[in-house]
Amino acid sequence: NHLRNVSLLAAKSWLTIVSVKEDFAKGSAMAINSIKEIMEAFPKNINLQRLALMALRNMAASIQRAKLPLDISPCIRPVLDAQKEHGGEIHEDCCGALWALMGVQCELDSTLVREVVYFAIEVTEIHILSSEHPFCEDVVTAGMAIFADTFSNPVNAMQVLGEKIVNIVVDVVNTTIYSCLDKKEKHPSIFQFGFCTLHHLCNDDSCRDIIVSHGGIVAVVDGMMANLENASIQENGCNILRRLAGNDIGMKLNIVEADGVDVIMNIMISHGENASVLSEAFQALSCLSVDKTSRNFIAQQGGVMVIASSMSTLAESVAVQEAGLAALCNIVSDVEEDILEASNIFSVVNDSLDHHAKDSSIQKKGLALLYNLSIRNEGMRFKLLSSGCLNNITKAVEIHTSCPKIVSSALRMLVNLSDTEECRKVLFDEKVVNLIIHAMMLNFENLKNAI
């Protein structure tokens, strides 16, 4: 078990075996400990260190696949020591090993976490900014990946690392994104892990301010535009923009000015059949429709048309329907009527309500959108009636009789449409009258204000 006194040849032979054998995960504790001891026994032999680091990387990957609970923290110290001993010559090997080790589910003490993060900061900066070291995609990718893994729990990471280190990490991530954009080369993995880091950080209020202060809005928008074909980057990017915007009108306008709407429009067109990307894009676009000017800009750019078209294409996707209805509800308030008609919005909303009649969330959002359209003018109410919306309104009440929000929205719609002969015919139908009375009795306390 103790390999400190073995010969160099025996150590190399053992490392060669453990670096290529995939079934060593079963005896991983013994194997990993042996690698650690060899690294500590031969710290100045760079070739042996490289072989050991490769073995650690492969072993950690094997442990991840097997989902084995194992304390790998003792192995991290020799990796950090190897980097200190051999510097840039061994950066790539150290990064690969640390990336894999950090992916194993294990609690690390705060001191070790800080050292790993400082290591990632150092090697990333060296290979991005230093003229003495060439740009190395694998090293920078690993650095970004270590950040992403460290900040998977941002609140805990903030407590362990402190605001100063978080500031440095955000600055390094944004600087890396800008640097890769300047190179005008495709480095999707770097962007992917960089965006993943920012996405995690957006879960903490104080971190969002840090991201913005380091130029995060422009970095994210430009990074998205440079990687339009990458669904993961676009999904994370839309989520980041939405979270950065929050409820701050000024921040939303900053994102619009940074071409946020343009990039989201391009995403919706490029990923028109990807439900997860579209649902995030719809939410981000909805978040940016803060005033009449922004809403009309989104509509003029084709936003309403693209959302409606995507909803028709992905009619089965609950996520797309929910996000699409919510976005349209925010956008269409004062959009020109010819744009609404051209988008086929009336048919799209009714199809969504009809197809997902039992989904309460879709019913709430769809009825809210119909209401927003109905209060515009008499001509709009006529178009809504012509689209057959009355059937969906009464059906929503029938299926969701005990849901006060749906009943309230449906009643508000019926009140808005009640000055038309077609609506009155429906309201005077005995079955509909009994349905409304029953729903009102069930939800009397919740409907007082509506009544």
Side-chain angles (χ1 to χ4, degrees):
N1 289 335
H2 298 285
L3 301 176
R4 291 179 183 273
N5 299 318
V6 299
S7 68
L8 181 61
L9 180 60
K12 286 182 178 179
S13 300
W14 173 245
L15 289 175
T16 302
I17 294 172
V18 296
S19 65
V20 298
K21 293 284 285 184
E22 292 192 1
D23 58 351
F24 259 94
K26 297 174 184 177
S28 52
M30 181 274 292
I32 277 194
N33 188 58
S34 69
I35 298 170
K36 167 184 168 291
E37 291 195 1
I38 287 175
M39 292 184 72
E40 291 172 343
F42 302 95
K44 296 189 178 297
N45 189 310
I46 190 170
N47 292 325
L48 193 68
Q49 292 290 311
R50 280 183 171 143
L51 192 57
L53 290 165
M54 181 174 69
L56 272 182
R57 182 196 66 199
N58 294 346
M59 184 66 64
S62 178
I63 293 167
Q64 286 184 51
R65 287 193 297 271
K67 297 180 180 179
L68 294 176
L70 187 68
D71 180 14
I72 49 81
S73 55
C75 299
I76 292 178
R77 174 64 57 200
V79 178
L80 297 174
D81 289 343
Q83 188 269 331
K84 290 175 183 176
E85 179 69 38
H86 300 284
E89 292 182 84
I90 206 167
H91 278 171
E92 190 170 345
D93 307 274
C94 289
C95 283
L98 267 186
W99 180 5
L101 288 168
M102 293 294 285
V104 176
Q105 294 302 311
C106 172
E107 287 291 328
L108 301 179
D109 68 71
S110 57
T111 301
L112 204 54
V113 171
R114 281 194 291 271
E115 288 195 50
V116 169
V117 171
Y118 270 123
F119 163 84
I121 290 170
E122 180 184 347
V123 296
T124 303
E125 284 189 322
I126 285 174
H127 290 275
I128 283 290
L129 302 175
S130 174
S131 57
E132 297 178 8
H133 295 272
F135 170 78
C136 179
E137 182 174 8
D138 288 342
V139 169
V140 177
T141 298
M144 295 291 106
I146 290 170
F147 293 149
D149 186 81
T150 303
F151 288 99
S152 57
N153 184 337
V155 176
N156 182 62
M158 192 76 169
Q159 291 173 346
V160 170
L161 298 173
E163 188 174 332
K164 180 182 176 181
I165 297 180
V166 173
N167 261 287
I168 296 171
V169 169
V170 171
D171 184 49
V172 170
V173 170
N174 286 344
T175 300
T176 300
I177 290 172
Y178 283 126
S179 179
C180 289
L181 289 170
D182 289 341
K183 293 178 185 299
K184 296 181 180 179
E185 299 172 356
K186 294 291 184 182
H187 301 294
S189 295
I190 294 175
F191 284 97
Q192 195 163 326
F193 286 114
F195 274 40
C196 187
T197 302
L198 297 178
H199 179 206
H200 289 326
L201 285 167
C202 280
N203 289 316
D204 185 272
D205 291 340
S206 60
C207 291
R208 286 196 288 271
D209 294 335
I210 293 172
I211 292 170
V212 173
S213 68
H214 285 283
I217 291 175
V218 175
V220 171
V221 170
D222 289 356
M224 292 166 73
M225 189 62 78
N227 294 275
L228 275 176
E229 73 287 350
N230 188 300
S232 175
I233 291 173
Q234 303 312 321
E235 187 175 345
N236 272 331
C238 287
N239 188 283
I240 292 167
L241 291 180
R242 176 168 60 85
R243 288 170 178 270
L244 290 180
N247 294 317
D248 187 327
I249 293 178
M251 197 70 72
K252 293 179 181 184
L253 292 175
N254 287 340
I255 294 172
V256 173
E257 290 173 5
D259 296 331
V261 171
D262 292 334
V263 75
I264 294 169
M265 286 296 304
N266 279 308
I267 291 165
M268 294 194 301
I269 294 168
S270 299
H271 298 273
E273 296 186 359
N274 188 317
S276 58
V277 173
L278 284 176
S279 62
E280 286 290 350
F282 291 169
Q283 291 178 73
L285 198 63
S286 174
C287 181
L288 299 180
S289 58
V290 293
D291 55 17
K292 184 175 181 179
T293 301
S294 60
R295 288 191 290 271
N296 275 294
F297 176 67
I298 290 169
Q300 293 292 341
Q301 293 294 102
V304 175
M305 185 85 71
V306 175
I307 293 172
S309 175
S310 299
M311 288 176 66
S312 294
T313 302
L314 298 173
E316 299 291 332
S317 171
V318 172
V320 168
Q321 300 303 309
E322 277 194 59
L325 290 170
L328 290 173
C329 190
N330 282 347
I331 295 168
V332 301
S333 305
D334 34 35
V335 169
E336 295 174 13
E337 290 188 21
D338 59 340
I339 292 178
L340 297 181
E341 286 196 59
S343 70
N344 200 29
I345 188 174
F346 309 108
S347 175
V348 168
V349 178
N350 280 303
D351 287 347
S352 183
L353 287 169
D354 182 49
H355 195 75
H356 299 274
K358 294 182 179 180
D359 190 298
S360 60
S361 183
I362 287 178
Q363 296 301 306
K364 291 173 192 174
K365 290 177 173 62
L367 290 172
L369 172 54
L370 290 178
Y371 178 77
N372 276 5
L373 292 169
S374 74
I375 60 177
R376 288 179 56 134
N377 54 53
E378 186 178 345
M380 186 63 67
R381 289 191 286 276
F382 175 77
K383 289 169 184 174
L384 285 170
L385 287 169
S386 301
S387 72
C389 70
L390 281 175
N391 182 55
N392 280 318
I393 295 169
T394 55
K395 184 163 64 173
V397 177
E398 182 179 2
I399 295 174
H400 303 277
T401 312
S402 60
C403 178
K405 286 190 176 180
I406 291 178
V407 172
S408 175
S409 295
L411 291 179
R412 289 199 305 166
M413 271 297 299
L414 292 173
V415 168
N416 272 358
L417 300 173
S418 61
D419 59 347
T420 65
E421 184 177 350
E422 185 177 348
C423 184
R424 286 196 294 271
K425 283 182 181 179
V426 172
L427 290 174
F428 291 151
D429 181 274
E430 183 179 356
K431 181 182 177 183
V432 174
V433 170
N434 290 334
L435 175 64
I436 292 173
I437 292 172
H438 178 56
M440 291 176 67
M441 290 177 65
L442 280 178
N443 299 280
F444 178 74
E445 288 299 321
N446 293 301
L447 292 176
K448 280 181 179 178
N449 292 333
I451 294 171

